[in-house]
Amino acid sequence: EIVLTQSPGTLSLSPGERATLSCRASQSVSSNYLAWYQQKPGQAPRLLISGTSFRATGIPDRFSGSGSGTDFTLTISRLEPEDFAVYYCQQYGKSPLTFGGGTKVEIK
Amino acid sequence: EVQLLESGGGMVQPGGSLRLSCAASGFTFNIYAMGWVRQAPGKGLEWVSGLSGGGASTDYADSVKGRFTISRDNSKNTLYLQMNSLRVEDTAVYYCAKCKGGTCYSAFDYWGPGTLVTVSS
């Protein structure tokens, strides 16, 4: 099973600041099959990025993904008030599909 | 507009059974793989099961293998999860999710609002 470790657990930032979230895999993720999701309290997750760097429909370009192999990053260039949420990475290249433990982006 | 709506959650005793349903609309259901993902209270996301568009290929997390069965009725645009021998640790919100492709080795691009399953005596 591919274990995904997200860091930091919590990121305290102000609106307008840049957020950098990390996702490290215990083994190489096949074909960079890595996705990122945003989840707000009481809501279902929302797909932000798939295939490491491809934004989903309707996702603003302040969200970007990068990485390869075992190290992946989600960057939010300038935080908007609606971006404060929990973010999960997921690998879907190998069964079982696995999620990271999440990074909470909170208002400083 | 893609819509997914789960139903069938509730409270059940350990060892009991429940069947979850997910009604889908707004896309060609039989082309896309579907999956179930759960989230225990206050915890992260856990993939549970996936099923290909045609229904021939299934996959399960080890934690539910042999107890849960995923299926679909493409004539009704509905996905199911039959859950037997339920355990306290199966307590979670269960989300139905659409896969981006025909197999569930893809990201989940749409999610339902979830249905709560509580296993307790």
Side-chain angles (χ1 to χ4, degrees):
Chain A
E1 169 176 325
I2 297 178
V3 175
L4 300 178
T5 302
Q6 291 188 241
S7 62
T10 302
L11 199 51
S12 298
L13 295 168
S14 301
E17 290 194 292
R18 181 185 187 89
T20 302
L21 286 67
S22 173
C23 176
R24 179 161 289 176
S26 61
Q27 55 187 275
S28 186
V29 175
S30 302
S31 303
N32 290 336
Y33 284 163
L34 194 287
W36 290 92
Y37 300 87
Q38 176 193 68
Q39 187 178 35
K40 297 180 181 179
Q43 296 184 17
R46 176 175 72 146
L47 178 66
L48 299 175
I49 301 280
S50 63
T52 297
S53 60
F54 296 95
R55 277 188 302 277
T57 303
I59 301 304
D61 61 7
R62 64 180 181 272
F63 291 92
S64 63
S66 63
S68 65
T70 60
D71 288 298
F72 299 87
T73 300
L74 175 70
T75 301
I76 311 171
S77 59
R78 287 177 54 87
L79 282 164
E80 297 287 340
E82 61 267 29
D83 299 336
F84 291 92
V86 179
Y87 294 83
Y88 294 95
C89 59
Q90 178 217 6
Q91 69 79 23
Y92 50 90
K94 185 176 180 182
S95 180
L97 281 62
T98 50
F99 290 88
T103 290
K104 181 179 182 180
V105 179
E106 65 176 23
I107 299 176
K108 185 175 182 180
Chain B
E1 179 191 5
V2 172
Q3 292 192 336
L4 301 171
L5 185 61
E6 305 91 342
S7 61
M11 183 173 287
V12 62
Q13 291 187 336
S17 297
L18 276 178
R19 188 175 84 154
L20 305 184
S21 299
C22 172
S25 62
F27 64 102
T28 306
F29 185 69
N30 63 4
I31 290 177
Y32 293 95
M34 299 289 294
W36 291 95
V37 176
R38 69 184 180 183
Q39 186 168 35
K43 302 297 184 182
L45 301 171
E46 180 188 15
W47 172 77
V48 172
S49 182
L51 177 61
S52 61
S57 177
T58 60
D59 199 5
Y60 298 92
D62 284 347
S63 58
V64 307
K65 201 171 291 184
R67 301 188 299 123
F68 290 11
T69 302
I70 191 172
S71 62
R72 63 195 297 159
D73 185 337
N74 286 343
S75 69
K76 296 182 178 178
N77 287 2
T78 301
L79 177 73
Y80 302 100
L81 185 67
Q82 177 67 43
M83 304 187 296
N84 298 332
S85 302
L86 281 161
R87 305 168 179 168
V88 171
E89 55 266 33
D90 294 319
T91 295
V93 173
Y94 284 73
Y95 296 104
C96 163
K98 172 185 169 292
C99 302
K100 285 194 71 177
T103 77
C104 226
Y105 299 106
S106 67
F108 297 110
D109 56 357
Y110 291 93
W111 298 62
T115 187
L116 177 62
V117 172
T118 303
V119 184
S120 174
S121 55

